[in-house]
Amino acid sequence: MDKIHNVFHVSMLRRYRSDPSHVISMEEIEVQPDLTYEEEPIRILAREVKELRNKQIPLVKVLWRHHNTEEATWESEEMMRQQFPQLFAS
């Protein structure tokens, strides 16, 4: 299976049939002139300690604004405390 390419052909696509129940909510994102935007953490979902040979690294799973739970990322707790201290002020 590892030799099979993970791309499909356009002939496998089906025509979209419009359905009024398919409503996608749009959220405004403020985009800078250079087409970038500021990522803002909403909350910490989980904590974990990464064990290396001679040290431990505390990690936090962060939920970001404009992203869903599946897109939450593991970040260094120390870095998050420096950049976003308001997340830990409770």
Side-chain angles (χ1 to χ4, degrees):
M1 293 295 277
D2 61 339
K3 299 206 187 269
I4 296 175
H5 202 278
N6 61 351
V7 176
F8 63 92
H9 192 269
V10 291
S11 65
M12 297 178 70
L13 295 174
R14 293 189 183 152
R15 183 178 187 92
Y16 175 74
R17 308 247 185 246
S18 66
D19 182 355
S21 68
H22 290 172
V23 177
I24 300 173
S25 61
M26 296 284 290
E27 218 177 303
E28 290 283 327
I29 298 176
E30 191 175 317
V31 179
Q32 308 299 324
D34 63 352
L35 300 179
T36 61
Y37 69 96
E38 198 70 33
E39 288 283 8
E40 184 181 339
I42 298 174
R43 69 173 186 260
I44 295 172
L45 300 176
R47 293 175 186 275
E48 186 177 282
V49 176
K50 181 79 171 179
E51 301 272 345
L52 299 179
R53 284 187 184 179
N54 56 357
K55 81 180 191 185
Q56 297 178 335
I57 303 171
L59 300 173
V60 289
K61 190 171 189 177
V62 181
L63 177 62
W64 300 93
R65 184 173 308 285
H66 308 298
H67 295 277
N68 55 30
T69 310
E70 292 81 29
E71 297 174 310
T73 58
W74 286 99
E75 306 290 340
S76 161
E77 184 174 338
E78 181 181 339
M79 182 196 72
M80 293 303 291
R81 281 187 188 274
Q82 290 173 2
Q83 291 182 347
F84 306 102
Q86 70 275 12
L87 279 178
F88 300 91
S90 40

Coordinates of all heavy atoms in Angstrom, one line a residue:
M1 N 0.8 -1.2 0.0 CA 0.0 0.0 0.0 C 0.8 1.3 0.0 O 0.4 2.3 -0.4 CB -0.9 0.0 1.2 CG -2.0 -1.1 1.2 SD -3.2 -0.8 -0.1 CE -4.3 0.4 0.6
D2 N 2.1 1.2 0.5 CA 2.9 2.4 0.6 C 3.4 2.9 -0.8 O 3.8 4.0 -1.0 CB 4.1 2.2 1.5 CG 5.0 1.1 1.0 OD1 4.6 0.3 0.3 OD2 6.2 1.1 1.5
K3 N 3.2 2.0 -1.8 CA 3.6 2.4 -3.2 C 2.4 3.1 -4.0 O 2.6 3.5 -5.1 CB 4.1 1.2 -3.9 CG 5.3 0.6 -3.3 CD 6.2 -0.1 -4.3 CE 7.3 -0.8 -3.6 NZ 8.5 -0.1 -3.4
I4 N 1.2 3.1 -3.3 CA 0.1 3.7 -4.0 C 0.1 5.2 -3.7 O 0.2 5.6 -2.6 CB -1.2 3.1 -3.5 CG1 -1.3 1.6 -3.8 CG2 -2.4 3.8 -4.0 CD1 -2.5 0.9 -3.3
H5 N -0.1 6.0 -4.8 CA 0.0 7.4 -4.7 C -1.3 7.9 -4.1 O -2.4 7.4 -4.4 CB 0.2 8.0 -6.1 CG 0.7 9.4 -6.0 ND1 -0.1 10.5 -5.8 CD2 2.0 9.9 -6.1 CE1 0.7 11.6 -5.8 NE2 1.9 11.2 -6.0
N6 N -1.3 8.9 -3.1 CA -2.4 9.3 -2.4 C -3.2 10.5 -3.1 O -3.6 11.5 -2.5 CB -2.1 9.7 -1.0 CG -1.1 10.9 -0.9 OD1 -0.6 11.2 -2.0 ND2 -0.9 11.4 0.2
V7 N -3.3 10.4 -4.4 CA -4.0 11.5 -5.2 C -5.1 10.8 -6.0 O -5.0 9.7 -6.4 CB -3.0 12.1 -6.2 CG1 -3.7 13.1 -7.1 CG2 -1.8 12.8 -5.4
F8 N -6.2 11.5 -6.1 CA -7.3 11.0 -6.9 C -7.5 11.8 -8.2 O -7.0 12.9 -8.3 CB -8.6 11.0 -6.1 CG -9.1 12.4 -5.7 CD1 -9.9 13.0 -6.5 CD2 -8.6 13.0 -4.5 CE1 -10.4 14.3 -6.2 CE2 -9.1 14.2 -4.2 CZ -9.9 14.9 -5.0
H9 N -8.2 11.2 -9.1 CA -8.4 11.8 -10.4 C -9.7 12.6 -10.4 O -10.6 12.2 -9.7 CB -8.4 10.7 -11.5 CG -8.4 11.3 -12.9 ND1 -9.5 11.7 -13.6 CD2 -7.3 11.6 -13.7 CE1 -9.1 12.2 -14.8 NE2 -7.8 12.2 -14.8
V10 N -9.8 13.7 -11.1 CA -11.0 14.5 -11.1 C -12.2 13.8 -11.6 O -13.3 14.1 -11.3 CB -10.8 15.8 -12.0 CG1 -9.8 16.7 -11.3 CG2 -10.4 15.5 -13.4
S11 N -12.0 12.7 -12.4 CA -13.1 11.9 -12.8 C -13.9 11.2 -11.7 O -15.0 10.8 -11.8 CB -12.7 10.9 -13.8 OG -11.8 9.9 -13.2
M12 N -13.2 11.2 -10.5 CA -13.9 10.6 -9.3 C -14.7 11.5 -8.6 O -15.5 11.2 -7.7 CB -12.8 10.0 -8.4 CG -12.0 8.9 -9.0 SD -10.7 8.3 -7.9 CE -11.7 7.4 -6.7
L13 N -14.7 12.8 -8.9 CA -15.5 13.8 -8.3 C -16.9 13.8 -8.8 O -17.2 13.4 -9.9 CB -14.9 15.2 -8.6 CG -13.6 15.6 -8.0 CD1 -13.1 16.9 -8.5 CD2 -13.6 15.5 -6.5
R14 N -17.9 14.1 -7.9 CA -19.3 14.2 -8.3 C -19.7 15.6 -8.3 O -19.3 16.4 -7.6 CB -20.1 13.4 -7.3 CG -19.8 11.9 -7.4 CD -20.8 11.1 -6.6 NE -20.5 9.7 -6.6 CZ -20.8 8.9 -5.6 NH1 -21.4 9.3 -4.6 NH2 -20.4 7.6 -5.7
R15 N -20.7 15.9 -9.1 CA -21.3 17.2 -9.2 C -22.0 17.6 -7.9 O -22.7 16.7 -7.3 CB -22.3 17.3 -10.4 CG -22.9 18.6 -10.6 CD -23.8 18.6 -11.8 NE -24.3 19.9 -12.1 CZ -23.7 20.7 -13.0 NH1 -22.6 20.3 -13.6 NH2 -24.1 21.9 -13.2
Y16 N -21.8 18.8 -7.4 CA -22.5 19.2 -6.2 C -23.9 19.5 -6.5 O -24.3 20.3 -7.4 CB -21.8 20.4 -5.6 CG -22.5 21.0 -4.4 CD1 -22.4 20.4 -3.2 CD2 -23.2 22.2 -4.5 CE1 -23.1 20.9 -2.1 CE2 -23.9 22.7 -3.4 CZ -23.8 22.0 -2.2 OH -24.5 22.5 -1.1
R17 N -24.8 19.0 -5.7 CA -26.3 19.3 -5.8 C -26.6 20.3 -4.6 O -26.4 19.9 -3.5 CB -27.1 18.0 -5.6 CG -26.7 16.9 -6.5 CD -27.8 16.6 -7.5 NE -27.4 15.5 -8.4 CZ -27.1 15.6 -9.7 NH1 -27.2 16.7 -10.3 NH2 -26.8 14.5 -10.3
S18 N -27.1 21.4 -5.0 CA -27.3 22.4 -4.0 C -28.4 22.0 -3.0 O -29.4 21.3 -3.4 CB -27.7 23.8 -4.6 OG -28.9 23.6 -5.3
D19 N -28.2 22.4 -1.8 CA -29.1 22.0 -0.7 C -29.2 23.2 0.2 O -28.2 23.6 0.8 CB -28.6 20.7 0.0 CG -29.5 20.3 1.1 OD1 -30.5 20.9 1.4 OD2 -29.2 19.2 1.7
P20 N -30.4 23.7 0.5 CA -30.5 24.9 1.3 C -30.0 24.6 2.8 O -29.7 25.6 3.5 CB -32.0 25.3 1.3 CG -32.6 24.5 0.2 CD -31.6 23.4 -0.1
S21 N -30.0 23.4 3.2 CA -29.5 23.1 4.6 C -28.0 23.1 4.7 O -27.5 23.1 5.8 CB -30.1 21.7 5.0 OG -29.4 20.7 4.3
H22 N -27.3 23.2 3.6 CA -25.8 23.3 3.6 C -25.5 24.8 3.8 O -25.2 25.5 2.8 CB -25.2 22.8 2.3 CG -25.3 21.3 2.2 ND1 -24.9 20.7 1.0 CD2 -25.7 20.4 3.0 CE1 -25.1 19.4 1.2 NE2 -25.6 19.2 2.4
V23 N -25.5 25.3 5.0 CA -25.2 26.6 5.3 C -23.8 26.7 6.1 O -23.6 26.0 7.1 CB -26.2 27.3 6.2 CG1 -25.9 28.7 6.6 CG2 -27.6 27.2 5.5
I24 N -22.9 27.5 5.5 CA -21.6 27.6 6.2 C -21.5 29.0 6.8 O -21.7 30.0 6.1 CB -20.5 27.5 5.1 CG1 -20.6 26.1 4.5 CG2 -19.1 27.7 5.7 CD1 -19.6 25.9 3.3
S25 N -21.3 29.0 8.1 CA -21.2 30.3 8.8 C -19.8 30.9 8.5 O -18.8 30.3 8.6 CB -21.4 30.2 10.3 OG -20.4 29.3 10.8
M26 N -19.9 32.2 8.2 CA -18.6 32.9 7.9 C -18.2 33.7 9.1 O -19.0 34.4 9.7 CB -18.8 33.9 6.7 CG -19.2 33.2 5.4 SD -17.7 32.5 4.6 CE -16.9 34.0 4.2
E27 N -16.9 33.7 9.4 CA -16.4 34.4 10.5 C -15.4 35.4 10.0 O -14.6 35.1 9.1 CB -15.7 33.5 11.5 CG -15.9 33.9 12.9 CD -15.2 32.9 13.9 OE1 -15.5 31.7 13.8 OE2 -14.4 33.3 14.7
E28 N -15.5 36.7 10.4 CA -14.6 37.7 9.9 C -13.2 37.5 10.4 O -13.0 37.3 11.6 CB -15.1 39.1 10.3 CG -16.4 39.5 9.6 CD -16.2 40.0 8.2 OE1 -15.1 40.6 7.9 OE2 -17.1 39.7 7.4
I29 N -12.2 37.6 9.6 CA -10.8 37.6 10.0 C -10.2 38.8 9.5 O -10.3 39.2 8.3 CB -10.1 36.3 9.4 CG1 -10.7 35.1 9.8 CG2 -8.6 36.4 9.7 CD1 -10.1 33.8 9.2
E30 N -9.5 39.5 10.4 CA -8.9 40.8 10.1 C -7.5 40.5 9.5 O -6.6 40.0 10.1 CB -8.7 41.7 11.3 CG -8.3 43.1 11.0 CD -8.2 43.9 12.3 OE1 -9.1 43.8 13.1 OE2 -7.2 44.6 12.4
V31 N -7.4 40.8 8.2 CA -6.2 40.5 7.4 C -5.3 41.8 7.3 O -5.9 42.8 7.0 CB -6.5 39.9 6.0 CG1 -5.3 39.6 5.3 CG2 -7.4 38.7 6.2
Q32 N -4.1 41.6 7.6 CA -3.1 42.8 7.4 C -2.9 43.1 6.0 O -3.1 42.2 5.1 CB -1.8 42.4 8.1 CG -1.9 41.9 9.6 CD -2.6 43.0 10.5 OE1 -2.4 44.1 10.3 NE2 -3.4 42.5 11.4
P33 N -2.3 44.2 5.7 CA -2.0 44.6 4.2 C -1.0 43.6 3.6 O -1.1 43.4 2.4 CB -1.3 45.9 4.3 CG -1.9 46.5 5.6 CD -2.1 45.4 6.5
D34 N -0.2 42.9 4.4 CA 0.7 41.9 3.8 C 0.1 40.5 3.8 O 0.8 39.5 3.6 CB 2.1 41.9 4.5 CG 1.9 41.5 6.0 OD1 0.7 41.3 6.5 OD2 2.9 41.3 6.7
L35 N -1.3 40.5 3.9 CA -2.1 39.2 3.8 C -1.8 38.2 4.9 O -1.9 37.0 4.7 CB -1.9 38.6 2.4 CG -2.3 39.4 1.3 CD1 -2.1 38.7 0.0 CD2 -3.8 39.9 1.4
T36 N -1.4 38.7 6.1 CA -1.2 37.8 7.3 C -2.3 38.2 8.3 O -2.9 39.3 8.2 CB 0.2 38.0 7.9 OG1 0.3 39.4 8.3 CG2 1.3 37.6 6.9
Y37 N -2.5 37.3 9.3 CA -3.4 37.7 10.4 C -2.8 37.1 11.7 O -2.0 36.2 11.7 CB -4.8 37.2 10.1 CG -5.0 35.7 10.1 CD1 -5.4 35.0 11.3 CD2 -4.7 34.9 9.0 CE1 -5.6 33.6 11.3 CE2 -4.9 33.5 9.0 CZ -5.3 32.9 10.2 OH -5.4 31.5 10.2
E38 N -3.2 37.7 12.7 CA -2.7 37.4 14.1 C -3.5 36.2 14.6 O -4.7 36.2 14.7 CB -2.9 38.6 15.0 CG -2.1 38.6 16.2 CD -0.6 38.8 16.0 OE1 -0.3 39.5 15.1 OE2 0.1 38.2 16.8
E39 N -2.8 35.1 15.0 CA -3.4 33.9 15.6 C -3.5 34.3 17.1 O -2.6 34.8 17.7 CB -2.5 32.7 15.5 CG -2.4 32.1 14.1 CD -3.7 31.3 13.8 OE1 -4.6 31.3 14.6 OE2 -3.7 30.7 12.7
E40 N -4.7 34.0 17.7 CA -5.0 34.3 19.1 C -5.5 33.0 19.8 O -6.4 32.4 19.3 CB -6.0 35.4 19.1 CG -6.3 35.8 20.5 CD -7.4 36.9 20.5 OE1 -7.6 37.5 19.4 OE2 -8.1 37.1 21.5
P41 N -4.8 32.6 20.8 CA -5.3 31.4 21.6 C -6.5 31.7 22.4 O -6.7 32.8 22.9 CB -4.1 31.1 22.5 CG -3.4 32.4 22.7 CD -3.6 33.2 21.5
I42 N -7.4 30.8 22.4 CA -8.7 30.9 23.2 C -8.5 30.3 24.6 O -8.8 30.9 25.6 CB -9.9 30.3 22.4 CG1 -10.1 31.0 21.1 CG2 -11.1 30.4 23.3 CD1 -11.1 30.4 20.2
R43 N -8.1 29.0 24.6 CA -7.9 28.3 25.9 C -7.0 27.1 25.7 O -6.7 26.7 24.6 CB -9.3 27.9 26.4 CG -10.0 26.9 25.7 CD -11.2 26.4 26.5 NE -11.8 25.3 25.9 CZ -12.9 25.4 25.1 NH1 -13.4 26.5 24.8 NH2 -13.4 24.3 24.5
I44 N -6.6 26.6 26.9 CA -5.8 25.4 26.9 C -6.7 24.2 27.1 O -7.5 24.2 28.0 CB -4.8 25.5 28.1 CG1 -3.8 26.7 27.8 CG2 -4.0 24.2 28.2 CD1 -2.9 27.0 28.9
L45 N -6.6 23.2 26.2 CA -7.4 22.1 26.2 C -6.9 20.9 27.1 O -7.6 20.1 27.7 CB -7.7 21.5 24.8 CG -8.4 22.5 23.9 CD1 -8.5 21.9 22.5 CD2 -9.7 22.9 24.4
A46 N -5.5 20.8 27.1 CA -4.9 19.7 27.8 C -3.4 20.0 28.1 O -2.9 21.0 27.6 CB -4.9 18.4 26.9
R47 N -2.9 19.3 29.1 CA -1.5 19.4 29.4 C -0.8 18.1 29.4 O -1.4 17.0 29.6 CB -1.4 20.0 30.9 CG -1.9 21.4 31.0 CD -1.9 21.8 32.5 NE -2.5 23.1 32.7 CZ -1.9 24.2 32.5 NH1 -0.6 24.3 32.2 NH2 -2.5 25.4 32.7
E48 N 0.5 18.1 29.1 CA 1.3 16.9 29.0 C 2.8 17.2 29.2 O 3.2 18.4 29.0 CB 1.1 16.4 27.5 CG 1.8 15.0 27.3 CD 1.5 14.6 25.9 OE1 0.4 14.1 25.6 OE2 2.4 14.7 25.0
V49 N 3.5 16.3 29.7 CA 4.9 16.5 29.9 C 5.7 15.5 29.0 O 5.5 14.3 29.1 CB 5.3 16.2 31.4 CG1 6.8 16.3 31.6 CG2 4.6 17.2 32.3
K50 N 6.5 16.0 28.1 CA 7.3 15.2 27.2 C 8.6 14.8 27.9 O 9.3 15.7 28.4 CB 7.6 16.1 25.9 CG 8.4 15.4 24.9 CD 7.5 14.5 24.1 CE 8.3 13.9 22.9 NZ 7.5 13.0 22.1
E51 N 8.8 13.5 28.0 CA 10.0 13.0 28.7 C 11.1 12.7 27.7 O 10.9 11.9 26.8 CB 9.6 11.7 29.4 CG 8.5 11.8 30.4 CD 9.0 12.2 31.8 OE1 10.2 12.1 32.0 OE2 8.1 12.6 32.6
L52 N 12.2 13.4 27.9 CA 13.4 13.1 27.1 C 14.4 12.4 28.0 O 14.1 12.1 29.2 CB 14.0 14.4 26.6 CG 13.1 15.2 25.7 CD1 13.8 16.5 25.2 CD2 12.7 14.4 24.4
R53 N 15.6 12.1 27.6 CA 16.5 11.3 28.4 C 16.8 12.0 29.7 O 16.8 11.4 30.8 CB 17.8 11.1 27.6 CG 17.7 10.1 26.6 CD 19.0 9.8 26.0 NE 18.9 8.8 24.9 CZ 19.9 8.4 24.2 NH1 21.1 8.8 24.4 NH2 19.7 7.5 23.2
N54 N 17.2 13.3 29.6 CA 17.6 14.0 30.8 C 16.8 15.2 31.1 O 17.2 16.1 31.9 CB 19.1 14.3 30.8 CG 19.5 15.1 29.6 OD1 18.6 15.4 28.7 ND2 20.7 15.5 29.5
K55 N 15.6 15.4 30.5 CA 14.8 16.6 30.9 C 13.4 16.3 30.5 O 13.0 15.5 29.7 CB 15.4 17.8 30.3 CG 15.1 18.1 28.8 CD 15.7 19.5 28.5 CE 15.2 20.0 27.1 NZ 15.9 21.2 26.7
Q56 N 12.5 17.1 31.1 CA 11.1 17.1 30.9 C 10.6 18.4 30.3 O 11.1 19.5 30.8 CB 10.3 16.8 32.2 CG 10.7 15.5 32.8 CD 9.9 15.4 34.1 OE1 9.6 16.3 34.8 NE2 9.7 14.1 34.5
I57 N 9.8 18.3 29.3 CA 9.3 19.6 28.6 C 7.8 19.6 28.8 O 7.0 18.8 28.3 CB 9.6 19.6 27.1 CG1 11.1 19.5 26.9 CG2 9.1 20.8 26.5 CD1 11.5 19.3 25.5
P58 N 7.3 20.6 29.6 CA 5.8 20.7 29.8 C 5.2 21.3 28.5 O 5.7 22.3 27.9 CB 5.7 21.7 30.9 CG 7.0 22.2 31.2 CD 8.0 21.5 30.4
L59 N 4.1 20.6 28.0 CA 3.4 21.1 26.8 C 2.0 21.4 27.1 O 1.4 20.8 28.1 CB 3.5 20.0 25.7 CG 4.8 19.6 25.2 CD1 4.7 18.4 24.3 CD2 5.6 20.7 24.5
V60 N 1.4 22.3 26.4 CA -0.1 22.5 26.5 C -0.7 22.4 25.1 O -0.1 22.8 24.1 CB -0.3 23.9 27.1 CG1 0.0 24.0 28.6 CG2 0.4 25.0 26.3
K61 N -1.9 21.9 25.1 CA -2.7 21.8 23.8 C -3.6 23.1 23.7 O -4.4 23.3 24.6 CB -3.5 20.5 23.8 CG -4.1 20.3 22.4 CD -4.7 18.9 22.3 CE -5.1 18.6 20.9 NZ -5.7 17.2 20.9
V62 N -3.3 23.9 22.7 CA -4.0 25.2 22.6 C -5.0 25.2 21.5 O -4.8 24.8 20.4 CB -2.9 26.3 22.3 CG1 -3.5 27.6 22.2 CG2 -1.8 26.3 23.3
L63 N -6.2 25.7 21.9 CA -7.3 26.0 20.9 C -7.1 27.4 20.4 O -7.1 28.3 21.2 CB -8.6 25.7 21.5 CG -9.8 26.0 20.7 CD1 -9.9 25.1 19.5 CD2 -11.1 25.9 21.5
W64 N -7.0 27.6 19.1 CA -6.8 28.9 18.5 C -8.1 29.4 18.0 O -9.0 28.7 17.5 CB -5.8 28.8 17.4 CG -4.5 28.3 17.8 CD1 -4.0 27.0 17.8 CD2 -3.4 29.1 18.4 NE1 -2.8 27.0 18.4 CE2 -2.3 28.2 18.7 CE3 -3.2 30.5 18.7 CZ2 -1.2 28.7 19.3 CZ3 -2.1 30.9 19.2 CH2 -1.0 30.0 19.5
R65 N -8.3 30.8 18.0 CA -9.4 31.4 17.4 C -9.5 31.2 15.9 O -8.5 31.1 15.3 CB -9.4 32.9 17.7 CG -10.6 33.7 17.2 CD -10.6 35.2 17.6 NE -10.4 35.4 19.0 CZ -11.3 35.3 20.0 NH1 -12.4 34.8 19.7 NH2 -10.9 35.6 21.2
H66 N -10.7 31.0 15.4 CA -11.0 30.7 14.0 C -10.5 29.3 13.6 O -10.4 29.0 12.4 CB -10.3 31.7 13.0 CG -10.6 33.1 13.3 ND1 -11.8 33.7 13.3 CD2 -9.8 34.2 13.7 CE1 -11.8 34.9 13.6 NE2 -10.5 35.3 13.9
H67 N -10.3 28.4 14.6 CA -10.0 27.0 14.3 C -10.8 26.1 15.1 O -11.3 26.5 16.2 CB -8.5 26.7 14.6 CG -7.5 27.5 13.7 ND1 -7.2 27.0 12.5 CD2 -6.9 28.6 13.9 CE1 -6.4 27.9 11.9 NE2 -6.2 28.9 12.8
N68 N -11.1 24.9 14.7 CA -11.9 24.0 15.5 C -11.0 23.1 16.4 O -9.7 23.2 16.3 CB -12.8 23.1 14.6 CG -12.1 22.4 13.5 OD1 -10.9 22.0 13.7 ND2 -12.7 22.1 12.4
T69 N -11.6 22.3 17.2 CA -10.8 21.5 18.2 C -9.8 20.5 17.5 O -8.7 20.3 18.0 CB -11.8 20.7 19.0 OG1 -12.8 21.5 19.5 CG2 -11.1 20.0 20.2
E70 N -10.2 20.0 16.3 CA -9.3 19.1 15.7 C -8.0 19.8 15.2 O -7.0 19.1 15.0 CB -9.9 18.4 14.4 CG -11.1 17.5 14.7 CD -12.4 18.2 15.0 OE1 -12.6 19.3 14.5 OE2 -13.2 17.7 15.8
E71 N -8.0 21.1 15.1 CA -6.8 21.8 14.7 C -6.0 22.4 15.8 O -5.1 23.2 15.6 CB -7.2 23.0 13.7 CG -7.9 22.5 12.5 CD -8.4 23.6 11.6 OE1 -9.1 24.4 12.1 OE2 -8.1 23.6 10.4
A72 N -6.3 22.0 17.1 CA -5.6 22.5 18.2 C -4.1 22.0 18.1 O -3.9 20.9 17.6 CB -6.2 22.0 19.5
T73 N -3.2 22.7 18.6 CA -1.8 22.3 18.5 C -1.1 22.2 19.9 O -1.5 22.9 20.8 CB -1.0 23.4 17.7 OG1 -1.1 24.7 18.3 CG2 -1.5 23.5 16.3
W74 N -0.1 21.4 19.9 CA 0.7 21.2 21.2 C 1.8 22.3 21.1 O 2.6 22.3 20.1 CB 1.3 19.8 21.3 CG 0.3 18.8 21.6 CD1 -0.4 17.9 20.8 CD2 -0.2 18.5 22.9 NE1 -1.2 17.2 21.5 CE2 -1.2 17.5 22.8 CE3 0.0 19.1 24.2 CZ2 -1.8 17.0 23.9 CZ3 -0.6 18.6 25.3 CH2 -1.6 17.5 25.2
E75 N 1.9 23.1 22.1 CA 2.9 24.1 22.2 C 3.7 24.0 23.5 O 3.2 23.5 24.5 CB 2.3 25.5 22.1 CG 1.4 25.7 20.9 CD 2.1 25.8 19.6 OE1 3.3 26.0 19.6 OE2 1.4 25.6 18.6
S76 N 4.9 24.6 23.5 CA 5.7 24.6 24.8 C 5.0 25.5 25.8 O 4.6 26.7 25.5 CB 7.1 25.2 24.5 OG 7.7 25.6 25.6
E77 N 4.8 25.0 27.0 CA 4.1 25.8 28.0 C 4.9 27.1 28.4 O 4.3 28.1 28.5 CB 3.9 25.0 29.3 CG 3.1 25.7 30.4 CD 2.8 24.9 31.6 OE1 2.8 23.6 31.5 OE2 2.6 25.5 32.7
E78 N 6.2 27.0 28.4 CA 7.0 28.1 28.7 C 6.8 29.2 27.6 O 6.7 30.4 28.0 CB 8.5 27.7 28.7 CG 9.5 28.8 29.1 CD 10.9 28.3 29.1 OE1 11.1 27.1 29.3 OE2 11.8 29.2 28.9
M79 N 6.9 28.8 26.4 CA 6.7 29.8 25.3 C 5.3 30.5 25.4 O 5.2 31.7 25.2 CB 6.9 29.2 23.9 CG 6.7 30.1 22.8 SD 6.5 29.3 21.2 CE 4.8 28.8 21.4
M80 N 4.3 29.7 25.7 CA 2.9 30.2 25.7 C 2.8 31.1 26.9 O 2.1 32.1 26.8 CB 1.9 29.1 25.8 CG 1.8 28.2 24.5 SD 1.4 29.2 23.1 CE -0.3 29.6 23.4
R81 N 3.4 30.8 28.0 CA 3.4 31.7 29.2 C 4.0 33.1 28.9 O 3.6 34.1 29.4 CB 4.1 31.1 30.4 CG 3.2 30.1 31.1 CD 3.9 29.6 32.4 NE 3.2 28.5 33.0 CZ 2.2 28.6 33.8 NH1 1.8 29.8 34.2 NH2 1.6 27.6 34.3
Q82 N 5.1 33.1 28.1 CA 5.8 34.3 27.8 C 4.9 35.1 26.8 O 4.8 36.3 26.9 CB 7.1 34.0 27.1 CG 8.1 33.5 28.1 CD 9.4 33.0 27.4 OE1 9.6 33.2 26.2 NE2 10.4 32.5 28.2
Q83 N 4.4 34.5 25.8 CA 3.6 35.2 24.7 C 2.2 35.6 25.1 O 1.7 36.6 24.7 CB 3.6 34.4 23.4 CG 5.0 34.3 22.8 CD 5.0 33.6 21.5 OE1 4.0 32.9 21.1 NE2 6.0 33.7 20.7
F84 N 1.5 34.7 25.9 CA 0.1 34.9 26.2 C -0.1 34.6 27.7 O -0.8 33.6 28.1 CB -0.7 33.9 25.4 CG -0.5 34.0 23.9 CD1 0.3 33.1 23.2 CD2 -1.0 35.1 23.2 CE1 0.5 33.2 21.8 CE2 -0.8 35.2 21.8 CZ -0.1 34.3 21.1
P85 N 0.4 35.4 28.6 CA 0.2 35.2 30.0 C -1.2 35.2 30.5 O -1.6 34.6 31.5 CB 1.0 36.3 30.7 CG 1.2 37.4 29.6 CD 1.1 36.7 28.3
Q86 N -2.1 35.8 29.7 CA -3.5 35.9 30.1 C -4.2 34.5 30.1 O -5.2 34.2 30.8 CB -4.3 36.8 29.2 CG -4.5 36.4 27.7 CD -3.4 36.7 26.8 OE1 -2.3 37.1 27.2 NE2 -3.6 36.5 25.5
L87 N -3.6 33.5 29.3 CA -4.1 32.2 29.3 C -4.0 31.5 30.7 O -4.7 30.6 31.0 CB -3.4 31.3 28.3 CG -3.9 31.4 26.8 CD1 -3.0 30.6 25.9 CD2 -5.3 31.1 26.7
F88 N -3.0 31.9 31.5 CA -2.6 31.2 32.7 C -3.1 32.0 33.9 O -2.7 31.6 35.0 CB -1.1 30.9 32.7 CG -0.6 30.1 31.6 CD1 -0.2 30.7 30.4 CD2 -0.6 28.7 31.7 CE1 0.2 29.9 29.4 CE2 -0.2 27.9 30.6 CZ 0.2 28.5 29.5
A89 N -3.8 33.1 33.7 CA -4.1 34.0 34.8 C -5.5 33.6 35.5 O -6.4 34.4 35.6 CB -4.2 35.4 34.4
S90 N -5.6 32.3 35.9 CA -6.9 31.9 36.5 C -6.6 31.2 37.8 O -5.6 30.9 38.2 CB -7.7 31.1 35.6 OG -7.1 30.2 34.8

